[in-house]
């Protein structure tokens, strides 16, 4: 897995991130970094809300 260190430094997930914050973080994350996939639970919630992502 390749980690985009500079991106992570500039995009730190808030400790008490809301669903929306996490969702936005992961959508941005997957575009810039491949260190980890979107968590299954989050992905499922996003699908329920009709959001598309790859
Ligand atoms: Zn990453």
């Amino acid at each position: 897995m390749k980690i985009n260190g500079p991106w992570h430094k500039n995009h730190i997930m808030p400790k008490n991130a809301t669903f929306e914050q996490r969702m936005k973080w992961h959508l941005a994350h997957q575009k810039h970094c491949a260190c980890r996939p979107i968590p299954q639970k989050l992905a499922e919630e996003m699908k329920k809300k009709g959001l598309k992502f790859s």
Side-chain angles (χ1 to χ4, degrees), residues 24-40:
K24 282 180 182 169
W25 187 94
H26 276 287
L27 284 173
H29 178 251
Q30 70 172 3
K31 283 182 191 167
H32 299 280
C33 182
C35 74
R36 58 191 167 105
I38 293 178
Q40 181 111 34

Side-chain angles (χ1 to χ4, degrees), residues 2-37:
K2 203 177 169 188
I3 291 179
N4 185 342
W7 188 89
H8 272 274
K9 273 190 183 170
N10 287 316
H11 298 82
I12 294 166
M13 177 91 77
K15 263 194 178 175
N16 295 309
T18 62
F19 169 76
E20 199 168 322
Q21 284 175 313
R22 292 175 60 210
M23 188 183 77
K24 282 180 182 169
W25 187 94
H26 276 287
L27 284 173
H29 178 251
Q30 70 172 3
K31 283 182 191 167
H32 299 280
C33 182
C35 74
R36 58 191 167 105

